[in-house]
Coordinates of all heavy atoms in Angstrom, one line a residue:
T1 N 4.4 -7.5 -21.7 CA 3.3 -7.7 -20.8 C 3.9 -8.4 -19.5 O 4.6 -9.3 -19.6 CB 2.3 -8.7 -21.4 OG1 1.8 -8.0 -22.6 CG2 1.1 -8.9 -20.5
I2 N 3.4 -7.9 -18.3 CA 3.8 -8.5 -17.1 C 2.5 -8.7 -16.3 O 1.7 -7.8 -16.2 CB 4.7 -7.5 -16.3 CG1 6.0 -7.3 -17.1 CG2 5.0 -8.0 -14.9 CD1 6.9 -6.2 -16.4
T3 N 2.4 -9.8 -15.6 CA 1.3 -10.1 -14.7 C 1.8 -9.9 -13.3 O 2.7 -10.6 -12.8 CB 0.8 -11.6 -14.9 OG1 0.4 -11.7 -16.3 CG2 -0.4 -11.8 -14.0
V4 N 1.3 -8.9 -12.6 CA 1.7 -8.5 -11.3 C 0.7 -9.1 -10.3 O -0.5 -8.8 -10.5 CB 1.9 -7.0 -11.2 CG1 2.3 -6.6 -9.8 CG2 2.9 -6.5 -12.2
P5 N 1.1 -9.8 -9.3 CA 0.1 -10.4 -8.3 C -0.4 -9.4 -7.3 O 0.1 -9.2 -6.2 CB 1.0 -11.5 -7.6 CG 2.4 -11.0 -7.7 CD 2.5 -10.2 -9.0
V6 N -1.5 -8.6 -7.8 CA -2.1 -7.7 -6.9 C -3.6 -7.9 -6.9 O -4.2 -8.4 -7.9 CB -1.8 -6.2 -7.3 CG1 -0.3 -5.9 -7.2 CG2 -2.3 -5.9 -8.7
A7 N -4.3 -7.4 -5.9 CA -5.7 -7.4 -5.9 C -6.2 -6.2 -6.7 O -5.6 -5.1 -6.8 CB -6.3 -7.2 -4.5
A8 N -7.3 -6.4 -7.5 CA -7.8 -5.4 -8.4 C -8.2 -4.1 -7.7 O -8.1 -3.0 -8.2 CB -9.0 -5.9 -9.2
G9 N -8.7 -4.2 -6.4 CA -9.1 -3.0 -5.7 C -10.2 -2.3 -6.5 O -11.1 -2.9 -7.0
T10 N -10.0 -1.0 -6.7 CA -11.0 -0.2 -7.5 C -10.7 -0.2 -9.0 O -11.5 0.3 -9.7 CB -11.0 1.2 -6.9 OG1 -9.8 1.8 -7.0 CG2 -11.5 1.3 -5.5
A11 N -9.6 -0.7 -9.4 CA -9.2 -0.7 -10.8 C -10.1 -1.7 -11.6 O -10.3 -2.8 -11.1 CB -7.8 -1.1 -11.0
Q12 N -10.6 -1.3 -12.7 CA -11.4 -2.1 -13.6 C -10.6 -2.7 -14.7 O -9.5 -2.1 -15.1 CB -12.5 -1.3 -14.2 CG -13.5 -0.7 -13.2 CD -14.3 -1.7 -12.4 OE1 -14.8 -2.7 -13.0 NE2 -14.4 -1.6 -11.1
R13 N -11.0 -3.9 -15.2 CA -10.3 -4.5 -16.3 C -10.1 -3.5 -17.5 O -11.1 -2.8 -17.8 CB -11.0 -5.7 -16.8 CG -10.3 -6.4 -17.9 CD -11.1 -7.7 -18.4 NE -10.2 -8.7 -18.8 CZ -9.7 -9.7 -18.0 NH1 -10.1 -9.8 -16.8 NH2 -8.9 -10.5 -18.5
G14 N -8.9 -3.3 -18.0 CA -8.6 -2.4 -19.1 C -8.3 -1.0 -18.6 O -8.0 -0.2 -19.4
A15 N -8.4 -0.8 -17.3 CA -8.1 0.6 -16.8 C -6.5 0.9 -16.9 O -5.7 -0.1 -16.8 CB -8.5 0.7 -15.4
N16 N -6.2 2.1 -17.0 CA -4.8 2.5 -17.0 C -4.2 2.3 -15.5 O -4.9 2.8 -14.6 CB -4.6 3.9 -17.4 CG -4.8 4.1 -18.9 OD1 -4.5 3.2 -19.7 ND2 -5.3 5.2 -19.3
V17 N -3.1 1.7 -15.4 CA -2.4 1.6 -14.2 C -0.9 2.0 -14.4 O -0.5 2.0 -15.6 CB -2.4 0.2 -13.6 CG1 -3.9 -0.2 -13.2 CG2 -1.9 -0.9 -14.5
T18 N -0.2 2.3 -13.3 CA 1.2 2.6 -13.4 C 2.0 1.5 -12.8 O 1.7 1.1 -11.7 CB 1.5 4.0 -12.7 OG1 0.7 5.0 -13.4 CG2 3.0 4.3 -12.8
L19 N 3.0 1.0 -13.5 CA 3.9 0.0 -13.0 C 5.1 0.7 -12.2 O 5.7 1.6 -12.7 CB 4.5 -0.8 -14.1 CG 5.5 -1.9 -13.7 CD1 4.8 -3.0 -12.9 CD2 6.2 -2.5 -15.0
G20 N 5.3 0.2 -11.0 CA 6.4 0.7 -10.2 C 7.3 -0.4 -9.8 O 6.9 -1.5 -9.5
I21 N 8.6 -0.2 -10.0 CA 9.7 -1.2 -9.6 C 10.9 -0.4 -9.2 O 11.3 0.6 -9.8 CB 9.9 -2.2 -10.7 CG1 10.9 -3.3 -10.2 CG2 10.4 -1.6 -12.0 CD1 10.9 -4.5 -10.9
R22 N 11.6 -0.9 -8.1 CA 12.8 -0.3 -7.7 C 14.0 -0.6 -8.6 O 14.0 -1.8 -9.1 CB 13.0 -0.7 -6.2 CG 12.0 -0.1 -5.3 CD 12.4 -0.4 -3.9 NE 11.4 0.3 -3.0 CZ 10.4 -0.2 -2.3 NH1 10.3 -1.6 -2.4 NH2 9.7 0.5 -1.6
P23 N 14.9 0.3 -8.8 CA 16.1 0.0 -9.7 C 16.8 -1.2 -9.3 O 17.3 -1.9 -10.2 CB 16.9 1.3 -9.5 CG 16.0 2.4 -9.1 CD 14.9 1.6 -8.2
E24 N 17.0 -1.6 -8.1 CA 17.7 -2.8 -7.7 C 17.0 -4.1 -8.0 O 17.6 -5.1 -7.9 CB 18.1 -2.7 -6.2 CG 16.9 -2.8 -5.2 CD 16.4 -1.4 -4.8 OE1 16.6 -0.4 -5.6 OE2 15.7 -1.3 -3.8
H25 N 15.8 -4.0 -8.4 CA 15.0 -5.2 -8.8 C 14.9 -5.4 -10.3 O 14.2 -6.3 -10.8 CB 13.6 -5.1 -8.2 CG 13.6 -5.2 -6.7 ND1 12.7 -4.5 -5.9 CD2 14.4 -5.9 -5.8 CE1 12.9 -4.8 -4.6 NE2 13.9 -5.6 -4.6
I26 N 15.6 -4.6 -11.1 CA 15.7 -4.8 -12.5 C 17.1 -5.4 -12.8 O 18.1 -5.0 -12.4 CB 15.5 -3.5 -13.3 CG1 14.2 -2.8 -12.9 CG2 15.6 -3.7 -14.8 CD1 14.0 -1.4 -13.4
R27 N 17.1 -6.5 -13.6 CA 18.3 -7.2 -13.9 C 18.6 -7.1 -15.4 O 17.7 -7.2 -16.3 CB 18.2 -8.7 -13.6 CG 18.0 -8.9 -12.1 CD 19.3 -8.8 -11.3 NE 19.0 -8.9 -9.9 CZ 19.1 -8.0 -9.0 NH1 19.5 -6.8 -9.4 NH2 18.9 -8.2 -7.7
I28 N 19.9 -6.9 -15.8 CA 20.3 -6.9 -17.2 C 20.6 -8.4 -17.5 O 21.3 -9.0 -16.7 CB 21.6 -6.0 -17.3 CG1 21.3 -4.6 -17.1 CG2 22.1 -6.2 -18.8 CD1 22.5 -3.7 -17.0
G29 N 20.0 -8.9 -18.6 CA 20.1 -10.3 -18.9 C 20.1 -10.5 -20.4 O 20.1 -9.6 -21.2
Q30 N 20.0 -11.8 -20.7 CA 20.0 -12.3 -22.1 C 18.6 -12.0 -22.8 O 18.5 -11.8 -23.9 CB 20.4 -13.7 -22.2 CG 21.8 -14.0 -21.8 CD 22.8 -13.3 -22.6 OE1 22.7 -13.2 -23.8 NE2 23.9 -12.8 -22.0
S31 N 17.6 -12.2 -21.9 CA 16.2 -11.9 -22.4 C 15.4 -11.4 -21.3 O 15.7 -11.6 -20.1 CB 15.6 -13.2 -23.0 OG 15.5 -14.1 -21.9
G32 N 14.4 -10.6 -21.6 CA 13.6 -10.0 -20.5 C 12.3 -9.4 -21.1 O 12.1 -9.4 -22.3
Q33 N 11.6 -8.7 -20.2 CA 10.3 -8.1 -20.6 C 10.5 -6.8 -21.3 O 9.7 -6.3 -22.1 CB 9.4 -7.8 -19.4 CG 9.0 -9.1 -18.6 CD 9.9 -9.5 -17.5 OE1 11.1 -9.1 -17.5 NE2 9.4 -10.2 -16.6
F34 N 11.7 -6.2 -21.1 CA 11.9 -4.8 -21.7 C 13.3 -4.9 -22.4 O 14.2 -5.6 -22.0 CB 12.0 -3.7 -20.7 CG 10.7 -3.5 -20.0 CD1 10.5 -4.1 -18.7 CD2 9.7 -2.7 -20.5 CE1 9.3 -3.9 -18.0 CE2 8.5 -2.5 -19.8 CZ 8.3 -3.1 -18.6
E35 N 13.4 -4.1 -23.5 CA 14.7 -3.8 -24.1 C 14.9 -2.4 -24.2 O 14.0 -1.6 -24.2 CB 14.7 -4.4 -25.5 CG 14.8 -6.0 -25.5 CD 15.1 -6.6 -26.9 OE1 15.3 -5.8 -27.8 OE2 15.2 -7.8 -26.9
G36 N 16.2 -2.0 -24.2 CA 16.5 -0.6 -24.2 C 17.9 -0.3 -24.5 O 18.7 -1.2 -24.8
E37 N 18.3 0.9 -24.4 CA 19.7 1.3 -24.7 C 20.2 2.1 -23.4 O 19.6 3.0 -22.9 CB 19.7 2.3 -25.9 CG 21.1 2.8 -26.2 CD 21.1 3.9 -27.3 OE1 20.1 4.0 -28.0 OE2 22.2 4.5 -27.4
A38 N 21.3 1.6 -22.9 CA 22.0 2.2 -21.8 C 22.6 3.5 -22.3 O 23.5 3.5 -23.0 CB 23.1 1.3 -21.2
I39 N 22.0 4.7 -21.8 CA 22.5 5.9 -22.2 C 23.4 6.7 -21.3 O 24.2 7.5 -21.6 CB 21.3 6.9 -22.7 CG1 20.3 7.1 -21.5 CG2 20.6 6.3 -23.9 CD1 19.3 8.2 -21.8
I40 N 23.2 6.4 -20.0 CA 24.1 7.0 -19.0 C 24.5 5.9 -18.0 O 23.7 5.0 -17.6 CB 23.4 8.1 -18.2 CG1 23.0 9.3 -19.1 CG2 24.2 8.6 -17.0 CD1 22.1 10.3 -18.4
A41 N 25.7 5.9 -17.5 CA 26.2 4.9 -16.5 C 26.9 5.8 -15.4 O 27.8 6.6 -15.7 CB 27.2 3.9 -17.1
E42 N 26.4 5.5 -14.2 CA 27.1 6.2 -13.0 C 27.8 5.0 -12.3 O 27.2 4.2 -11.6 CB 26.0 6.7 -12.1 CG 25.2 7.8 -12.8 CD 24.1 8.3 -11.8 OE1 24.4 8.9 -10.7 OE2 23.0 8.2 -12.2
R43 N 29.1 4.9 -12.5 CA 29.9 3.9 -12.0 C 30.4 4.3 -10.6 O 31.3 5.2 -10.5 CB 31.0 3.5 -12.9 CG 30.4 3.0 -14.3 CD 31.4 2.3 -15.2 NE 30.8 2.0 -16.5 CZ 30.1 1.0 -16.8 NH1 29.8 0.1 -15.9 NH2 29.6 0.8 -18.0
L44 N 29.8 3.8 -9.5 CA 30.0 4.3 -8.2 C 30.8 3.4 -7.3 O 30.7 3.4 -6.1 CB 28.7 4.6 -7.6 CG 27.7 5.5 -8.4 CD1 26.4 5.5 -7.8 CD2 28.4 6.9 -8.4
G45 N 31.7 2.6 -7.9 CA 32.5 1.6 -7.1 C 31.7 0.3 -6.9 O 31.7 -0.5 -7.7
G46 N 31.0 0.2 -5.7 CA 30.3 -1.0 -5.4 C 29.1 -1.3 -6.1 O 28.5 -2.4 -6.2
L47 N 28.5 -0.2 -6.8 CA 27.4 -0.4 -7.7 C 27.4 0.5 -8.9 O 28.2 1.5 -8.9 CB 26.1 -0.2 -6.9 CG 25.8 1.2 -6.2 CD1 25.0 2.1 -7.1 CD2 25.1 1.0 -4.9
T48 N 26.7 0.2 -9.9 CA 26.5 1.0 -11.1 C 25.1 1.3 -11.3 O 24.2 0.4 -11.2 CB 27.1 0.3 -12.3 OG1 28.5 0.1 -12.1 CG2 26.9 1.1 -13.6
I49 N 24.8 2.5 -11.6 CA 23.4 3.0 -12.0 C 23.3 3.3 -13.5 O 24.1 4.1 -14.0 CB 23.0 4.2 -11.2 CG1 23.2 4.1 -9.7 CG2 21.6 4.7 -11.6 CD1 22.2 3.2 -9.0
F50 N 22.5 2.5 -14.2 CA 22.3 2.8 -15.6 C 20.9 3.5 -15.8 O 20.0 3.2 -15.2 CB 22.2 1.5 -16.4 CG 23.5 0.8 -16.6 CD1 23.8 -0.3 -15.8 CD2 24.5 1.3 -17.5 CE1 25.1 -0.9 -16.0 CE2 25.7 0.7 -17.6 CZ 26.0 -0.4 -16.9
H51 N 21.0 4.5 -16.7 CA 19.7 5.1 -17.2 C 19.5 4.5 -18.6 O 20.4 4.6 -19.4 CB 19.9 6.6 -17.2 CG 20.1 7.2 -15.9 ND1 19.1 7.8 -15.1 CD2 21.2 7.3 -15.1 CE1 19.6 8.2 -14.0 NE2 20.9 7.9 -13.9
V52 N 18.3 3.9 -18.7 CA 18.0 3.1 -19.9 C 16.8 3.7 -20.6 O 15.8 3.8 -20.0 CB 17.8 1.6 -19.6 CG1 17.5 0.8 -20.8 CG2 19.0 1.1 -18.9
D53 N 16.9 4.0 -21.9 CA 15.8 4.4 -22.7 C 15.2 3.1 -23.4 O 16.0 2.3 -24.0 CB 16.2 5.4 -23.8 CG 16.4 6.8 -23.3 OD1 15.9 7.1 -22.2 OD2 16.9 7.6 -24.1
T54 N 13.9 2.9 -23.2 CA 13.3 1.7 -23.7 C 12.6 2.0 -25.1 O 12.4 3.2 -25.4 CB 12.2 1.1 -22.8 OG1 11.1 2.0 -22.7 CG2 12.8 0.9 -21.4
A55 N 12.2 0.9 -25.7 CA 11.5 1.1 -27.0 C 10.2 1.8 -26.9 O 9.8 2.5 -27.8 CB 11.3 -0.3 -27.6
S56 N 9.6 1.8 -25.7 CA 8.3 2.4 -25.5 C 8.5 3.9 -25.1 O 7.6 4.5 -24.6 CB 7.4 1.7 -24.5 OG 8.2 1.7 -23.2
E57 N 9.7 4.4 -25.3 CA 10.0 5.8 -25.0 C 9.8 6.1 -23.5 O 9.5 7.2 -23.1 CB 9.2 6.8 -25.8 CG 9.5 6.6 -27.3 CD 8.7 7.6 -28.2 OE1 8.1 8.6 -27.6 OE2 8.7 7.4 -29.4
T58 N 10.1 5.1 -22.7 CA 10.1 5.2 -21.2 C 11.6 5.1 -20.7 O 12.3 4.2 -21.3 CB 9.2 4.1 -20.6 OG1 7.9 4.3 -21.1 CG2 9.3 4.2 -19.1
S59 N 12.0 5.9 -19.8 CA 13.3 5.7 -19.2 C 13.2 4.9 -17.9 O 12.3 5.0 -17.1 CB 13.9 7.1 -18.8 OG 14.1 7.8 -20.0
L60 N 14.1 4.0 -17.7 CA 14.2 3.2 -16.5 C 15.6 3.4 -15.9 O 16.6 3.6 -16.6 CB 14.1 1.7 -16.9 CG 12.7 1.2 -17.4 CD1 12.8 -0.3 -17.8 CD2 11.7 1.4 -16.4
V61 N 15.6 3.3 -14.6 CA 16.9 3.4 -13.8 C 17.1 2.0 -13.3 O 16.3 1.3 -12.7 CB 16.8 4.4 -12.7 CG1 18.1 4.4 -11.9 CG2 16.5 5.8 -13.2
V62 N 18.4 1.5 -13.6 CA 18.7 0.1 -13.2 C 20.0 0.1 -12.4 O 20.9 0.8 -12.7 CB 19.0 -0.7 -14.5 CG1 19.4 -2.1 -14.1 CG2 17.8 -0.7 -15.4
Q63 N 19.9 -0.5 -11.2 CA 21.0 -0.6 -10.3 C 21.6 -2.0 -10.4 O 21.0 -3.0 -10.2 CB 20.6 -0.3 -8.9 CG 21.8 -0.5 -7.9 CD 21.3 -0.2 -6.5 OE1 20.5 0.7 -6.2 NE2 21.7 -1.0 -5.5
T64 N 22.9 -2.1 -10.7 CA 23.6 -3.4 -10.8 C 24.9 -3.3 -10.0 O 25.3 -2.3 -9.4 CB 24.0 -3.7 -12.3 OG1 25.2 -3.0 -12.7 CG2 22.9 -3.3 -13.2
D65 N 25.6 -4.4 -10.0 CA 26.9 -4.6 -9.4 C 27.9 -3.6 -10.0 O 27.8 -3.2 -11.2 CB 27.4 -6.0 -9.6 CG 28.7 -6.3 -8.9 OD1 28.7 -6.6 -7.8 OD2 29.8 -6.1 -9.6
G66 N 28.8 -3.1 -9.1 CA 29.8 -2.1 -9.6 C 30.7 -2.6 -10.7 O 31.2 -1.8 -11.4
A67 N 30.9 -3.9 -10.8 CA 31.8 -4.4 -11.9 C 31.0 -4.7 -13.2 O 31.6 -5.3 -14.1 CB 32.4 -5.7 -11.3
D68 N 29.7 -4.3 -13.3 CA 29.0 -4.6 -14.5 C 29.7 -4.0 -15.7 O 29.9 -2.8 -15.7 CB 27.6 -4.1 -14.4 CG 26.7 -4.5 -15.5 OD1 26.9 -4.1 -16.7 OD2 25.7 -5.3 -15.3
P69 N 30.0 -4.8 -16.8 CA 30.7 -4.3 -17.9 C 29.9 -3.8 -19.0 O 30.4 -3.4 -20.1 CB 31.4 -5.6 -18.4 CG 30.4 -6.7 -18.1 CD 29.8 -6.3 -16.8
T70 N 28.6 -3.6 -18.9 CA 27.7 -3.2 -19.9 C 28.2 -1.8 -20.5 O 28.3 -0.8 -19.8 CB 26.3 -3.0 -19.4 OG1 25.8 -4.2 -18.9 CG2 25.3 -2.5 -20.5
P71 N 28.5 -1.8 -21.8 CA 29.0 -0.6 -22.5 C 27.7 0.3 -22.8 O 26.6 -0.1 -23.0 CB 29.6 -1.1 -23.7 CG 29.0 -2.4 -24.0 CD 28.6 -3.0 -22.7
L72 N 28.0 1.6 -22.8 CA 27.0 2.6 -23.2 C 26.6 2.5 -24.6 O 27.4 2.0 -25.5 CB 27.5 4.0 -22.9 CG 27.6 4.4 -21.4 CD1 28.1 5.8 -21.3 CD2 26.3 4.2 -20.7
H73 N 25.4 2.9 -24.9 CA 24.8 3.0 -26.3 C 24.8 1.6 -27.0 O 25.0 1.5 -28.2 CB 25.6 4.0 -27.1 CG 25.7 5.3 -26.5 ND1 24.5 6.1 -26.3 CD2 26.7 6.0 -25.9 CE1 24.9 7.2 -25.6 NE2 26.2 7.2 -25.4
T74 N 24.5 0.6 -26.2 CA 24.2 -0.7 -26.7 C 22.8 -1.2 -26.3 O 22.3 -0.7 -25.3 CB 25.3 -1.8 -26.2 OG1 25.2 -1.8 -24.7 CG2 26.7 -1.4 -26.7
R75 N 22.3 -2.1 -27.0 CA 20.9 -2.6 -26.7 C 21.1 -3.6 -25.6 O 22.0 -4.5 -25.6 CB 20.3 -3.3 -27.9 CG 20.1 -2.4 -29.1 CD 19.1 -1.3 -28.9 NE 17.7 -1.8 -28.6 CZ 16.8 -1.1 -28.2 NH1 16.9 0.2 -27.9 NH2 15.6 -1.6 -28.0
I76 N 20.3 -3.5 -24.6 CA 20.3 -4.5 -23.5 C 18.8 -5.0 -23.2 O 17.9 -4.3 -23.6 CB 20.9 -3.8 -22.2 CG1 20.1 -2.6 -21.8 CG2 22.3 -3.6 -22.4 CD1 20.6 -2.0 -20.4
S77 N 18.8 -6.1 -22.6 CA 17.5 -6.7 -22.2 C 17.4 -6.6 -20.7 O 18.4 -6.8 -20.0 CB 17.5 -8.2 -22.7 OG 16.2 -8.7 -22.4
L78 N 16.2 -6.3 -20.2 CA 15.9 -6.1 -18.8 C 14.9 -7.1 -18.3 O 13.8 -7.3 -18.8 CB 15.5 -4.7 -18.6 CG 16.4 -3.6 -19.0 CD1 15.7 -2.2 -18.9 CD2 17.7 -3.6 -18.3
Q79 N 15.3 -7.8 -17.2 CA 14.5 -8.8 -16.6 C 13.8 -8.2 -15.3 O 14.5 -7.6 -14.5 CB 15.3 -10.1 -16.3 CG 15.9 -10.7 -17.5 CD 16.9 -11.8 -17.0 OE1 17.4 -11.8 -15.9 NE2 17.2 -12.7 -17.9
I80 N 12.5 -8.5 -15.2 CA 11.8 -8.0 -14.0 C 11.0 -9.1 -13.4 O 10.3 -9.8 -14.1 CB 10.9 -6.8 -14.4 CG1 11.7 -5.6 -14.9 CG2 10.0 -6.4 -13.2 CD1 10.9 -4.5 -15.4
D81 N 11.1 -9.4 -12.1 CA 10.4 -10.3 -11.4 C 9.0 -9.7 -11.0 O 9.1 -8.7 -10.2 CB 11.1 -10.9 -10.2 CG 10.3 -11.9 -9.4 OD1 9.1 -12.1 -9.7 OD2 10.9 -12.4 -8.4
P82 N 7.9 -10.1 -11.5 CA 6.6 -9.5 -11.2 C 6.3 -9.4 -9.7 O 5.6 -8.4 -9.2 CB 5.6 -10.3 -11.9 CG 6.3 -11.0 -13.0 CD 7.7 -11.2 -12.5
A83 N 6.9 -10.3 -8.9 CA 6.7 -10.2 -7.4 C 7.3 -9.0 -6.8 O 6.9 -8.6 -5.7 CB 7.2 -11.5 -6.8
N84 N 8.2 -8.4 -7.5 CA 8.9 -7.2 -7.0 C 8.3 -5.9 -7.5 O 8.8 -4.8 -7.2 CB 10.4 -7.1 -7.4 CG 11.2 -8.2 -6.6 OD1 10.9 -8.5 -5.5 ND2 12.1 -8.8 -7.3
C85 N 7.2 -6.0 -8.3 CA 6.5 -4.9 -8.9 C 5.3 -4.4 -8.1 O 4.8 -5.1 -7.3 CB 6.0 -5.2 -10.3 SG 7.3 -5.6 -11.5
Y86 N 5.0 -3.1 -8.3 CA 3.8 -2.5 -7.7 C 3.0 -1.9 -8.8 O 3.5 -1.5 -9.8 CB 4.3 -1.3 -6.8 CG 5.1 -1.8 -5.6 CD1 6.5 -1.9 -5.8 CD2 4.6 -2.2 -4.4 CE1 7.4 -2.3 -4.8 CE2 5.4 -2.6 -3.4 CZ 6.8 -2.7 -3.5 OH 7.6 -3.1 -2.5
L87 N 1.7 -1.9 -8.6 CA 0.7 -1.3 -9.5 C 0.0 -0.2 -8.8 O -0.4 -0.4 -7.6 CB -0.2 -2.3 -10.1 CG 0.3 -3.3 -11.1 CD1 -0.8 -4.2 -11.6 CD2 1.0 -2.5 -12.3
F88 N -0.2 0.9 -9.5 CA -0.9 2.1 -8.9 C -2.1 2.4 -9.8 O -1.9 2.4 -11.0 CB 0.0 3.3 -8.8 CG 1.2 3.0 -7.9 CD1 2.4 2.5 -8.5 CD2 1.2 3.2 -6.6 CE1 3.5 2.2 -7.7 CE2 2.3 2.9 -5.8 CZ 3.4 2.4 -6.3
D89 N -3.3 2.7 -9.2 CA -4.4 3.0 -10.0 C -4.3 4.4 -10.5 O -3.3 5.1 -10.3 CB -5.7 2.8 -9.3 CG -5.9 3.7 -8.1 OD1 -5.2 4.7 -8.0 OD2 -6.8 3.4 -7.2
V90 N -5.3 4.9 -11.3 CA -5.2 6.2 -11.9 C -5.1 7.4 -10.9 O -4.7 8.4 -11.2 CB -6.4 6.5 -12.9 CG1 -6.3 5.6 -14.1 CG2 -7.8 6.4 -12.1
D91 N -5.6 7.1 -9.6 CA -5.5 8.1 -8.6 C -4.1 8.0 -7.8 O -3.9 8.7 -6.8 CB -6.6 7.9 -7.6 CG -8.0 8.2 -8.2 OD1 -8.1 9.1 -9.1 OD2 -9.0 7.5 -7.9
G92 N -3.3 7.1 -8.2 CA -2.0 6.9 -7.6 C -2.0 6.0 -6.3 O -1.0 5.9 -5.7
K93 N -3.1 5.4 -6.1 CA -3.3 4.5 -4.9 C -2.7 3.1 -5.3 O -3.0 2.5 -6.3 CB -4.7 4.3 -4.5 CG -4.9 3.5 -3.3 CD -6.4 3.4 -2.9 CE -6.5 2.5 -1.7 NZ -7.9 2.2 -1.4
S94 N -1.8 2.6 -4.4 CA -1.2 1.3 -4.6 C -2.2 0.2 -4.5 O -3.0 0.2 -3.6 CB -0.1 1.1 -3.6 OG 0.5 -0.2 -3.7
L95 N -2.2 -0.7 -5.4 CA -3.1 -1.9 -5.4 C -2.4 -2.9 -4.4 O -1.2 -3.2 -4.5 CB -3.3 -2.5 -6.8 CG -3.9 -1.5 -7.8 CD1 -4.1 -2.2 -9.1 CD2 -5.3 -1.0 -7.3
A96 N -3.2 -3.5 -3.6 CA -2.7 -4.5 -2.6 C -2.0 -5.7 -3.2 O -2.6 -6.3 -4.1 CB -3.8 -4.9 -1.6
K97 N -0.8 -6.0 -2.7 CA -0.2 -7.2 -3.2 C -0.9 -8.5 -2.7 O -1.4 -8.5 -1.6 CB 1.3 -7.3 -2.7 CG 2.1 -6.2 -3.5 CD 3.6 -6.5 -3.1 CE 4.4 -5.8 -4.2 NZ 5.6 -6.6 -4.6
L98 N -0.9 -9.5 -3.5 CA -1.5 -10.8 -3.1 C -0.3 -11.6 -2.5 O 0.8 -11.6 -3.0 CB -2.1 -11.5 -4.3 CG -3.3 -10.9 -5.0 CD1 -3.7 -11.7 -6.2 CD2 -4.4 -10.8 -4.0
T99 N -0.6 -12.3 -1.5 CA 0.4 -13.2 -0.9 C -0.1 -14.6 -0.9 O -1.3 -14.9 -1.0 CB 0.6 -12.8 0.6 OG1 -0.6 -12.9 1.3 CG2 1.2 -11.4 0.7
R100 N 0.9 -15.5 -1.1 CA 0.6 -16.9 -1.1 C 0.4 -17.5 0.3 O 1.1 -17.1 1.3 CB 1.7 -17.7 -1.7 CG 1.8 -17.6 -3.2 CD 2.8 -18.6 -3.7 NE 2.7 -18.7 -5.1 CZ 3.6 -19.3 -5.8 NH1 4.6 -19.9 -5.3 NH2 3.5 -19.3 -7.1
L101 N -0.5 -18.3 0.5 CA -0.7 -19.0 1.8 C 0.0 -20.4 1.7 O -0.2 -21.1 0.7 CB -2.2 -19.2 2.1 CG -3.0 -17.9 2.2 CD1 -4.4 -18.3 2.4 CD2 -2.5 -17.1 3.4
N102 N 0.8 -20.7 2.6 CA 1.5 -22.0 2.6 C 0.7 -23.1 3.1 O -0.1 -23.0 3.9 CB 2.8 -21.9 3.4 CG 3.8 -21.0 2.8 OD1 3.8 -20.8 1.6 ND2 4.7 -20.4 3.6

């Protein structure tokens, strides 16, 4: 479960929404909101792109540092900062992000 700081807009409580996050905003760590198995690694020098199958049968693309030593076919934990996430309603419309006032 992730709480994403967005305005509800036209989405109703309990409605289906789609979570969006860019690959560079997902971190491999000791604990996180998702777990999965790194099934493909594209080692591109300055960065590495992992394709990760999660327990919920969803694939995620994760961009990390090029020196990341994560071996393939191992369980990994993925950390996501909710502030970097987007939510889309059933029509694909982005829900407005909430911002803090200082």
Side-chain angles (χ1 to χ4, degrees):
T1 301
I2 298 175
T3 301
V4 179
V6 296
T10 58
Q12 300 293 318
R13 181 180 214 93
N16 287 329
V17 294
T18 300
L19 175 70
I21 186 161
R22 293 187 172 106
E24 64 269 21
H25 292 143
I26 303 172
R27 300 282 176 246
I28 297 172
Q30 297 298 321
S31 63
Q33 296 94 334
F34 297 97
E35 289 193 357
E37 178 183 349
I39 57 166
I40 297 172
E42 300 176 60
R43 300 193 189 275
L44 305 172
L47 61 93
T48 297
I49 305 290
F50 287 105
H51 297 259
V52 179
D53 282 347
T54 68
S56 63
E57 298 181 14
T58 300
S59 293
L60 295 175
V61 177
V62 178
Q63 177 181 317
T64 81
D65 182 84
D68 187 293
T70 302
L72 289 179
H73 305 294
T74 58
R75 300 295 297 169
I76 58 174
S77 185
L78 303 172
Q79 300 170 339
I80 296 175
D81 179 353
N84 290 325
C85 294
Y86 300 86
L87 287 181
F88 301 90
D89 66 16
V90 294
D91 296 323
K93 183 178 177 187
S94 178
L95 301 177
K97 287 191 161 220
L98 296 176
T99 56
R100 283 190 173 168
L101 299 175
N102 291 334

